[in-house]
Amino acid sequence: MTKAERLQLREEARRMFYHAYDAYMDKAYPADELMPLSCKGRWRGVTPSRGDMDDVLGNFSLTLVDSMDTLAVMGDFSEFSRAIKLILKDIDFDQDIVVSVFETNIRVVGGLLSAHVLATALKGEVPALAWYGGELLALAEDLATRLLPAFNTSTGIPHGRVNLRRGLAGLAESRETCTACAGTMILEMAALSRLTGNPVFEDKAHRAMDRLWKIRHRTSDLMGTVVNVHTGDWVRKESGVGAGIDSYYEYCLKAYILLGDEKYLARFSRHYNAVMKYISRPPVMLAVHMHRPHLQSRNYMDSLLAFWPGLQVLLGDLKPAVEIHEMLYQVMQRHTFIPEAFTTDFQVHWGQHPLRPEFVESTYFLHRATGDEHYLRVGEAALRSLQRHARVPCGYAALGDVRTGAREDRMDSFVLAETFKYLYMLFADDARLPVRLEAYVLTTEAHFLPLALAARPAPHAPHAPAAPRIAPPPEHDAPNAYRKTCPSPRSLVAAAVRRPLRRLLGAAGRPPARLRPFTEPQQLHALADMGISAITLPDGRVQLLYAVTTAKSAKDAAEGLTFMHEMSKWNALGDTENGVVPAGVQVDGRVLPAGPAHFGKEVRAEERLRGAAALARPLDACGPPLNAHELAGKFAVAERGRCTFAQKVRHLQQAGARLAIVLDNVPGSSHWATALFAMSGDGVDDIRIPAVFLFSEESAHLLEQLRKDPEQQLTVGELKAMRQQADGACEGGSCETVLGAEGPPADKETFDHLKNVLKQLVAQFEVSLPEGGSCPGAEGGGKQVHVATTKFVNEPAPGGRGAPQAEGGGPGAGERDPPRDDGAAGGGDL
């Protein structure tokens, strides 16, 4: 990767952060989180409850607090200063609200401490921060003091929840907490004690960690996931490195790094050896029973284990870190994102993906350790996936199901605090960052705590601790314990470790339901192995045929069936269900429904864009327009075909157009017969003008009106708002994009039209199993043929995976437009 490419990706990561940050500040602040599909804030007690998920909220501007240090990392000191002032002015922790002790500690206490540390370090050199006098530290101490009642248990293990005003008073009896919840306090609490001189915070956190160590299983050295805070008994004895336990292991090692206390290194070494003995089954990590560690407790892994390779890098154990990361990368390649949980054969167990940072975090650490360019390419792939499938007009939306691309109205604070921060740091030049990374430990929430704290005396000690001993402490008696010296990464060739894994994982590399172009031989071979053949039709659509008898093996045939089901689920979901906001084009008093774009300036509900239109020449706009002088300052009109939507709009923007209108080239298409979809971009965030898409029949009306009066003014805005203003079609706040539209013309009410409409409503695939329900490859089922009859529009993304597109549109439609008469020539996506 060239220096210019890295710089471009770094700047794209910066723009991604600000797209989400600005949306939060404009639409949600001072609420805790942004709801990116609704374009409004999420408030505790106001927004409909999501149950336990809302324990992270406290009406304390969570997202801004959590992401302040990202502003500093990116060198935006004026906004960093403004954010600190907003927090000091607007936040009040004296609220009658029950919050998660764990989440509040890592996100809010950690965010305040990190911002304080960076502001203090930078204020001597940055005039915008010269005013800062430690106010955030006082705010962090106030909040941490409100969390202290949670530690009032006989074991010292804190309760999972606490009321910020009343402590435990009136709180429903809570006896259980997760291991990670209790064991992820020591970094923030110890840093707070050493920065303020108040020993109580560090003492409480040490006591909780000591008790957790004592209740480990003495034979296996493994930990369970849920513990009773009053008795110290295990409630759930399942042991892994993912959800419920992950950051406890992380804080064991990082407590040693930050504080220099060797007992934490000794403990982590014992735990690590146990994990590598019982849980690690290269290249997967399986959960076991802590008291019977040879017995597997489940057949799936969760996405939170993606932090583990990064932790192994800090320890210096690079080979297994490379192996696990490669396994996770292949899961990501298959499903576009790493699902919340996936099986040992890499199928989806839970399909959600809340834009978690752990995989990008491990990618960042592996690149720093090895210098291998591969990890830059992995980071680029993660960035592109976010841009193509998660970006919405108001920030980035979590995925409800990676198989369908369905989005959730959710953008957690860690997206800004971690995901975009790690992406930015991955592509950045360390020497040009304002924060000297080697001087800090990154917490589990990617907050910065200074390593210099190890030299500060603990508040209860009369003097600083002695330098760490070379000899291990007595409890450090594991025969294969890891030492404090890390092996040189130069002794490891990461590519050589990854290569055999790709052969070992085999089917894990099969294509996701959102395919690459059909001109790619590797893609066609992978489909053929699963018994799937692709036929490109003259009009540019693609038909899939699935036959068990043509599959390479019974296992491949089963993969093919799973693939077809995933395609069915994905294709059945319209973009309007994914948070796409339809646009409207008003001409001659009629509002034409139009699809928006996933790139460029979004068309907001309160905005009305008005201007005259001009046709691009040539009409496909796949090159610089020959009539740029006619397009300058106008709404440029182009036709679909031959190149991507983004390329067309980019050329029109360069010609000086204010807005782009792309007309469909499929005869007879109309919004009342086909669901509206959004035009996908190509991952390059350089388009600034808005763009909309009109189906053929709406396009014909527009062109007819322009023929009659070339100078007439068009109005573009959000469809619902325009209809409501124009003819009251959205009375009562309800406006259906299709059902509320004008009905089909009378000449369309034919038997053929009825058949076409019904085809839109039936299931996208009809996959028939052999009689008796036998599986592919089973006895008697080998000759059964499974046929997928749905046709798909060819729309490959240049140079990478495109988004599949069902006939007439769907999520991600328009990665590439096929020429009307020769779809095969342009390749295509499912």
Side-chain angles (χ1 to χ4, degrees):
M1 181 175 289
T2 65
K3 184 176 181 180
E5 283 182 285
R6 282 190 67 172
L7 179 62
Q8 182 180 9
L9 289 168
R10 185 199 71 181
E11 290 309 301
E12 187 166 356
R14 184 202 299 271
R15 290 193 296 270
M16 292 169 71
F17 169 79
Y18 280 108
H19 177 68
Y21 177 81
D22 291 343
Y24 166 74
M25 295 302 292
D26 293 343
K27 301 293 185 181
Y29 182 82
D32 281 324
E33 292 178 352
L34 169 69
M35 299 167 65
L37 302 184
S38 303
C39 288
K40 61 183 181 181
R42 188 184 300 281
W43 294 87
R44 183 72 175 270
V46 177
T47 312
S49 174
R50 301 173 298 171
D52 291 347
M53 284 179 62
D54 283 345
D55 285 345
V56 67
L57 309 178
N59 293 340
F60 37 37
S61 302
L62 172 66
T63 296
L64 182 59
V65 174
D66 209 5
S67 59
M68 280 192 296
D69 56 7
T70 309
L71 294 167
V73 169
M74 294 185 176
D76 191 350
F77 301 126
S78 60
E79 183 62 19
F80 182 42
S81 176
R82 185 176 84 95
I84 295 174
K85 292 176 181 177
L86 285 173
I87 293 301
L88 297 177
K89 176 174 69 76
D90 295 336
I91 283 188
D92 180 8
F93 294 123
D94 186 20
Q95 299 191 58
D96 189 7
I97 288 180
V98 176
V99 299
S100 163
V101 175
F102 161 70
E103 297 285 4
T104 303
N105 174 64
I106 65 170
R107 300 200 202 194
V108 187
V109 175
L112 293 170
L113 288 175
S114 182
H116 162 75
V117 166
L118 295 182
T120 302
L122 293 168
K123 72 175 187 176
E125 303 173 8
V126 178
L129 296 170
W131 64 272
Y132 181 70
E135 294 85 353
L136 291 177
L137 182 61
L139 205 58
E141 185 174 18
D142 173 43
L143 177 58
T145 301
R146 297 174 184 276
L147 300 181
L148 287 180
F151 290 86
N152 293 336
T153 62
S154 56
T155 61
I157 298 173
H159 287 272
R161 298 174 180 83
V162 72
N163 187 295
L164 290 181
R165 177 177 295 167
R166 297 185 286 121
L168 300 178
L171 196 63
E173 180 63 16
S174 171
R175 295 181 175 272
E176 300 172 2
T177 193
C178 69
T179 305
C181 301
T184 312
M185 308 291 290
I186 185 63
L187 295 189
E188 292 83 2
M189 291 295 181
L192 182 60
S193 282
R194 299 194 182 198
L195 290 170
T196 62
N198 186 347
V200 65
F201 308 107
E202 184 171 353
D203 289 346
K204 295 286 188 183
H206 278 308
R207 186 182 177 210
M209 292 292 279
D210 290 346
R211 187 55 183 256
L212 287 173
W213 171 249
K214 288 179 181 178
I215 63 174
R216 76 192 187 284
H217 194 274
R218 296 302 179 94
T219 302
S220 69
D221 278 331
L222 293 175
M223 306 288 285
T225 54
V226 179
V227 63
N228 185 305
V229 300
H230 298 298
T231 65
D233 295 330
W234 290 108
V235 177
R236 288 186 58 183
K237 298 181 180 181
E238 186 178 71
S239 186
V241 296
I245 196 170
D246 50 349
S247 50
Y248 163 73
Y249 290 141
E250 180 182 0
Y251 272 39
C252 277
L253 179 59
K254 289 184 177 179
Y256 165 71
I257 297 171
L258 181 68
L259 306 176
D261 190 336
E262 286 201 3
K263 73 179 181 183
Y264 288 111
L265 177 63
R267 293 174 184 179
F268 179 77
S269 296
R270 293 274 289 271
H271 285 317
Y272 186 76
N273 291 328
V275 167
M276 299 305 288
K277 180 178 180 180
Y278 299 116
I279 294 174
S280 178
R281 315 281 176 87
V284 301
M285 304 288 287
L286 299 177
V288 300
H289 296 282
M290 60 179 285
H291 55 297
R292 299 175 66 187
H294 295 289
L295 183 63
Q296 183 178 327
S297 63
R298 63 189 187 197
N299 69 338
Y300 65 87
M301 296 168 275
D302 65 78
S303 64
L304 287 171
L305 70 80
F307 90 100
W308 187 254
L311 195 65
Q312 290 178 307
V313 169
L314 290 181
L315 183 66
D317 197 9
L318 293 181
K319 184 176 183 292
V322 172
E323 291 175 340
I324 296 170
H325 183 274
E326 179 62 24
M327 177 271 291
L328 292 166
Y329 182 43
Q330 293 197 33
V331 172
M332 189 191 92
Q333 288 178 299
R334 162 176 286 202
H335 301 295
T336 306
F337 296 96
I338 297 177
E340 277 292 78
F342 52 94
T343 60
T344 52
D345 60 348
F346 309 107
Q347 307 295 345
V348 173
H349 185 74
W350 298 325
Q352 303 91 338
H353 176 72
L355 314 185
R356 290 197 186 278
E358 285 79 12
F359 179 69
V360 179
E361 174 187 356
S362 288
T363 303
Y364 163 76
F365 280 111
L366 274 166
H367 178 256
R368 283 186 67 86
T370 65
D372 192 336
E373 177 185 316
H374 168 77
Y375 297 108
L376 296 177
R377 295 299 181 188
V378 172
E380 180 183 14
L383 182 150
R384 298 289 177 229
S385 293
L386 289 169
Q387 288 285 65
R388 288 173 181 159
H389 305 295
R391 184 180 176 120
V392 294
C394 290
Y396 290 81
L399 277 295
D401 194 325
V402 298
R403 293 163 293 193
T404 64
R407 298 192 181 109
E408 291 184 339
D409 203 4
R410 170 185 179 187
M411 188 179 81
D412 290 87
S413 67
F414 55 66
V415 178
L416 289 169
E418 298 184 78
T419 306
F420 293 139
K421 181 188 293 173
Y422 278 121
L423 278 174
Y424 182 84
M425 293 194 303
L426 173 65
F427 299 118
D429 179 357
D430 288 356
R432 300 183 67 86
L433 289 175
V435 177
R436 199 162 60 88
L437 298 178
E438 64 271 18
Y440 299 91
V441 169
L442 285 167
T443 71
T444 193
E445 195 72 6
H447 293 312
F448 296 88
L449 296 179
L451 289 169
L453 290 178
R456 293 195 182 195
H460 58 275
H463 52 76
R469 292 171 292 167
I470 300 301
E475 63 180 271
H476 196 334
D477 56 2
N480 298 314
Y482 285 80
R483 303 304 183 209
K484 285 174 287 187
T485 56
C486 298
S488 170
R490 293 186 179 87
S491 64
L492 176 99
V493 180
V497 178
R498 294 192 301 267
R499 197 173 299 117
L501 278 177
R502 290 177 183 154
R503 292 193 296 270
L504 174 65
L505 297 176
R510 68 101 160 142
R514 278 156 279 188
L515 292 175
R516 296 181 178 90
F518 274 97
T519 52
E520 187 177 319
Q522 183 179 357
Q523 186 86 327
L524 293 172
H525 289 317
L527 290 175
D529 287 346
M530 296 188 293
I532 300 171
S533 58
I535 302 172
T536 304
L537 304 177
D539 63 358
R541 287 173 295 213
V542 171
Q543 190 172 50
L544 287 184
L545 300 176
Y546 170 47
V548 172
T549 53
T550 63
K552 190 175 180 179
S553 66
K555 181 178 179 181
D556 287 311
E559 285 283 341
L561 184 59
T562 300
F563 175 87
M564 298 296 276
H565 280 307
E566 288 182 6
M567 278 300 307
S568 176
K569 292 177 182 178
W570 191 95
N571 188 58
L573 193 68
D575 246 17
T576 50
E577 298 173 76
N578 279 335
V580 171
V581 180
V585 178
Q586 186 171 24
V587 55
D588 190 36
R590 179 180 170 187
V591 179
L592 307 175
H598 282 312
F599 54 84
K601 183 179 184 295
E602 61 263 27
V603 179
R604 300 177 184 272
E606 65 275 9
E607 287 184 317
R608 296 292 182 276
L609 306 175
R610 294 179 176 85
L615 300 182
R617 200 169 63 240
L619 193 57
D620 59 39
C622 287
L626 301 177
N627 60 335
H629 62 285
E630 297 176 7
L631 302 180
K634 294 186 178 180
F635 292 1
V637 180
E639 186 180 51
R640 181 181 188 178
R642 292 191 58 243
C643 61
T644 65
F645 289 127
Q647 287 172 326
K648 296 176 189 296
V649 178
R650 193 174 288 116
H651 290 141
L652 299 177
Q653 176 179 267
Q654 291 168 355
R658 291 174 51 215
L659 180 142
I661 301 175
V662 181
L663 311 180
D664 198 4
N665 65 346
V666 178
S669 66
S670 178
H671 74 278
W672 51 262
T674 304
L676 288 172
F677 63 87
M679 298 181 288
S680 284
D682 53 13
V684 181
D685 191 17
D686 61 346
I687 298 174
R688 298 289 175 265
I689 65 173
V692 297
F693 176 84
L694 288 175
F695 285 117
S696 296
E697 296 204 0
E698 288 74 27
S699 300
H701 179 77
L702 172 65
L703 293 174
E704 175 64 19
Q705 295 304 313
L706 292 179
R707 186 186 63 79
K708 294 178 180 178
D709 180 10
E711 299 301 323
Q712 70 174 293
Q713 295 285 302
L714 307 184
T715 303
V716 177
E718 190 209 83
L719 178 63
K720 178 178 176 180
M722 290 185 68
R723 279 222 174 118
Q724 196 167 22
Q725 181 180 8
D727 54 21
C730 296
E731 292 179 3
S734 175
C735 182
E736 294 293 335
T737 303
V738 176
L739 298 181
E742 300 88 344
D747 60 358
K748 289 292 181 181
E749 293 295 344
T750 64
F751 180 70
D752 288 338
H753 166 65
L754 180 60
K755 287 196 300 182
N756 289 333
V757 173
L758 289 175
K759 281 174 63 178
Q760 297 290 330
L761 302 177
V762 298
Q764 300 297 327
F765 288 105
E766 291 184 354
V767 183
S768 57
L769 288 173
E771 291 184 7
S774 59
C775 297
E779 185 177 355
K783 296 184 180 298
Q784 181 64 34
V785 177
H786 303 257
V787 181
T789 58
T790 301
K791 300 173 184 177
F792 296 83
V793 175
N794 283 330
E795 307 237 324
R801 291 193 312 279
Q805 156 63 24
E807 186 173 21
E815 291 291 352
R816 174 165 294 181
D817 309 309
R820 176 174 168 180
D821 297 322
D822 188 12
D829 272 7
L830 268 176

